[in-house]
Amino acid sequence: MRVVILGAGVIGVTSAWYLAQAGHEVTVIDRQPGPALETSFANAGEISPGYASPWAAPGIPMKAIKWLFMHHAPLIINARPDPAKIQWVARMLMNCTSSAYAINKSRMVRLAEYSRDCMMQLRADTGISYDERTQGTLQLFRTQKQVDAAAKDIKVLKADGVPFEVLDAAGCVAAEPGLAPSLGKIAGGLRLPGDETGDCFKFTNRLADMAQAAGVTFRYGVGIDRLERQGDRIVAVHTTAGRIEGDSFVLAMGSYSPAFAREFGMRLPVYPVKGYSITVPIVDAARAPVSTVMDETYKIAITRLGDRIRVGGMAEISGFNNTLHERRKATLQHSVEDLFGGAADQSRATFWSGLRPMTPDGTPIVGRSTVANLFLNTGHGTLGWTMAAGSGRVLADMISGRVAEIETGDLGYARYQRRGRRMAAATLHPARA
């Protein structure tokens, strides 16, 4: 089968790899001159299935108000009126209930755990390297209130059988010795020993090379204009390099996916939530992290990538813009220097921003669309790197007509269609809702 993938980020490339392994003829199209040059370029570097959680959670609305007024704010909302932004935020707030959180986190952890297993197998099969480490993630709490609030996450981790360790301050330092000078700032931590780290850009480029060697065609520097539909099927994609035909098509364009789905009547609730990162060279390895530390106060991940530290985080709801604000860089530097002071040379920091494709319920959209041969693999938010291998494998199984190894019925676009029908029914027949 001829499969055309739109997008050469980590999601598109992993999809291409698994589809090629399944025997399909695969073409990947991207406007950039190479793979992983947008959202996948300099993300936080963590593969954290245990930390896979929706942003929509009980208490988030009140926390969000407080965050907006912090000096080193983890949340920034542009005040400019934007109907798409307002609608997306409203839908996210509707998911800020205990029941919705438990459902959303459980399905996110399911996909993320499977993805980690797929990554381990991929690494064993190919020998791919990407500054990977398998030493877990430490969620660091600076206050007792944060320690207490972790109970809801621990409940879901237990239910899903995810290994974890609850640590006191001394336990956090034992797991991450570089934290020793910051012992007095630590109230406790939640360690997820099954989590991994790695450079997403390196991984995506090396996997693209292997996919190309396996027969995948990559068309870089090619703009995508529109999809051509005949009857109930897509027959071609129109690009700046001409018309490209296929039997099946995969929309893996991150935050730009909704624009291409809209012409077929689909309203993908994917919004670009901007994140920032800095990458700094290590100058004192003894003071540096050994894996990933999640600074819960500032919602920032501090990750060891070989001889570098990647510091990533924040959520800026400002639409499609990649402006680099020095104040955001200062927040990233404050977090890492406050915990791992002197580990890295901040004068040589490289600063980056990317647009995370977020859904309001946190779970990506992986599976069939309303068009027979158009498949979706988008909306992974902050967890594209964590969920990439599993999402690619699941999608390849679907396109190949195989039953996926995990439950996928609640991962696709259909969940939003069902929700829309329920909301319509509640409006028309409030007594039945």
Side-chain angles (χ1 to χ4, degrees):
M1 182 186 299
R2 297 172 302 166
V3 182
V4 179
I5 299 174
L6 311 183
V10 68
I11 300 300
V13 171
T14 51
S15 299
W17 170 258
Y18 285 110
L19 283 162
Q21 295 302 298
H24 299 287
E25 179 185 329
V26 183
T27 299
V28 180
I29 307 170
D30 198 283
R31 65 183 178 179
Q32 295 290 352
L37 288 174
E38 295 195 22
T39 305
S40 302
F41 181 70
N43 62 22
E46 53 181 324
I47 301 175
S48 300
Y51 195 71
S53 300
W55 286 10
I60 283 296
M62 293 303 298
K63 287 182 181 179
I65 294 172
K66 181 185 74 173
W67 289 335
L68 289 171
F69 295 98
M70 288 174 60
H71 177 66
H72 293 294
L75 174 66
I76 306 99
I77 300 179
N78 187 300
R80 186 181 69 252
D82 176 2
K85 173 176 65 180
I86 294 168
Q87 184 180 48
W88 184 88
V89 170
R91 294 181 76 164
M92 191 192 78
L93 292 174
M94 291 174 63
N95 279 278
C96 291
T97 65
S98 296
S99 58
Y101 180 83
I103 292 170
N104 294 334
K105 182 174 176 65
S106 181
R107 65 190 181 191
M108 291 173 71
V109 169
R110 182 205 319 147
L111 178 58
E113 286 279 314
Y114 177 64
S115 187
R116 192 266 320 281
D117 294 344
C118 289
M119 179 68 84
M120 292 172 64
Q121 188 63 53
L122 175 60
R123 202 162 52 231
D125 291 343
T126 66
I128 190 171
S129 63
Y130 44 92
D131 285 340
E132 71 278 2
R133 290 187 173 217
T134 57
Q135 295 174 257
T137 294
L138 174 63
Q139 186 177 3
L140 187 75
F141 305 126
R142 294 175 182 255
T143 68
Q144 186 59 43
K145 187 175 182 180
Q146 291 172 347
V147 173
D148 297 338
K152 67 180 185 303
D153 287 331
I154 291 171
K155 182 178 180 180
V156 177
L157 293 173
K158 285 181 177 178
D160 289 328
V162 179
F164 67 90
E165 301 167 1
V166 178
L167 305 176
D168 59 12
C172 292
V173 172
E176 286 283 356
L179 289 170
S182 304
L183 179 63
K185 303 171 185 176
I186 303 170
L190 177 63
R191 184 170 180 268
L192 304 166
D195 286 4
E196 302 182 1
T197 61
D199 188 321
C200 183
F201 176 76
K202 285 186 177 181
F203 170 84
T204 308
N205 275 265
R206 289 174 182 171
L207 189 63
D209 289 342
M210 290 191 292
Q212 188 169 13
V216 174
T217 298
F218 286 89
R219 303 285 301 273
Y220 298 123
V222 175
I224 299 166
D225 297 327
R226 65 181 180 89
L227 293 164
E228 178 185 339
R229 179 175 181 173
Q230 291 182 10
D232 65 344
R233 301 181 67 82
I234 306 297
V235 295
V237 54
H238 289 254
T239 75
T240 55
R243 185 174 176 273
I244 299 173
E245 296 182 348
D247 301 308
S248 289
F249 296 79
V250 178
L251 196 52
M253 298 179 69
S255 299
Y256 298 92
S257 298
F260 290 88
R262 193 174 298 122
E263 63 180 296
F264 306 115
M266 287 178 282
R267 297 291 185 266
L268 302 186
V270 175
Y271 188 82
V273 177
K274 187 178 178 182
Y276 293 86
S277 78
I278 56 172
T279 306
V280 286
I282 293 172
V283 293
D284 188 340
R287 297 185 180 187
V290 298
S291 189
T292 290
V293 172
M294 290 293 306
D295 187 345
E296 181 66 15
T297 296
Y298 301 108
K299 300 295 183 181
I300 285 173
I302 304 168
T303 300
R304 176 74 166 265
L305 295 178
D307 59 359
R308 302 162 294 151
I309 299 175
R310 174 71 51 75
V311 189
M314 288 176 285
E316 183 174 311
I317 302 176
S318 58
F320 288 91
N321 89 80
N322 267 314
T323 304
L324 290 170
H325 298 286
E326 285 299 312
R327 185 171 177 178
R328 315 293 180 245
K329 181 180 180 181
T331 295
L332 297 170
Q333 291 176 322
H334 170 77
S335 177
V336 66
E337 287 298 310
D338 195 45
L339 295 176
F340 297 98
D345 183 355
Q346 294 295 340
S347 70
R348 291 190 283 161
T350 56
F351 190 25
W352 172 88
S353 70
L355 302 177
R356 310 180 187 107
M358 297 288 298
T359 63
D361 57 16
T363 309
I365 306 171
V366 184
R368 293 186 176 277
S369 73
T370 58
V371 182
N373 64 335
L374 177 62
F375 293 82
L376 306 171
N377 201 356
T378 187
H380 294 74
T382 59
L383 296 167
W385 182 207
T386 295
M387 296 181 172
S391 297
R393 176 64 187 273
V394 162
L395 195 78
D397 285 341
M398 289 180 179
I399 292 175
S400 302
R402 297 193 299 253
V403 177
E405 294 178 330
I406 60 169
E407 172 59 42
T408 61
D410 53 357
L411 301 180
Y413 178 64
R415 73 181 185 267
Y416 296 114
Q417 293 178 291
R418 289 193 295 269
R419 183 176 183 84
R421 287 194 291 267
R422 286 198 301 268
M423 291 175 67
T427 302
L428 295 170
H429 308 287
R432 301 181 194 173

